[in-house]
Amino acid sequence: MRADLHVHSNASDGTDPPAEVMRRAAQAGLDVVALTDHDTVAGHAQARQALPGSLTLVPGMELSCRIDQPQQGVPPGGSSPRGQPQRGVPGGSSPRGQHSVHLLAYLFDPGHPELAAETRRIRDDRVLRARAMVDRLIDLGVPISWDDVAAVAGPAVVGRPHIARAMAASGAIASPDQAFTRDWIADGGRAYVGRYALDPVRAIALVRSAGGVAVLAHPRADRALLISDAQIADLATAGLDGVEVFHPDQPEAEQASLLGLTRDLGLIATGGSDDHGSLTGHRIGSHVAAPGAYESLVARATGAEPVQSS
Ligand SMILES: [Zn+2]
Ligand SMILES: [Zn+2]
């Protein structure tokens, strides 16, 4: 059983339509694939329709969250009350002591009113924020327009990767990854604008109330945004079901350490490629969940069922 539980389509910031993602998943020899676009379920219908006979689809989503990060001089817990949505400082850089966190949600009821409302709010705010970043880039002399970025995004909700691709196409930078520096649109960068995101404790509660399973995505993928064992234990107390252990950006030593932690905390050890089509080098099927993880997810979920082609 090979289950890649983390892939994107052009319903968010991947480059391939959901049907093509399903085709590639089958071609990679996967038994199970989870479509986990950022803050949207818009790709699920097409993925279902295009599902090859050999493949099981887990409808999912990757929720944008923000966590308080204790730092020197900042009291643990920061200044935002737990359970409240948090917003980046308007017109400013990422607030000190807060880091972006991704939560993978699986097999939830997509019609759950509160979860649907929150994801809509995240998507709406993403557009406002993207427009604000484009305005700042223009002020900084980058020769792009909102129309350029919208054309790159196509049907997707506009995000930083689309802006990065438009910047590269304009010649302002040599390749999209160069946009993710402090000079441009990395967290805290000159043209960065913070946005609405969920407290992970609240996001976990929402996913679970929608009958879904909540898994912390790639907690050790970015050295600047490491989520500690203690923070993961806190999230487990708040109802977290699992941790994404196997991920291409997580060093093997971190994967081993996280695997031990999931065993200690009784959490499901998932994994996935985080494939974004041609946007990144991550390749579908490169990383998969631990044996038994898929079955555990299905056993816990009450909001939706895995999909097989009819
Ligand atoms: Zn992520
Ligand atoms: Zn992802």
Side-chain angles (χ1 to χ4, degrees), residues 6 8 38 62 218 274 276:
H6 189 164
H8 296 269
H38 295 283
E62 187 170 16
H218 50 69
D274 214 351
H276 281 76

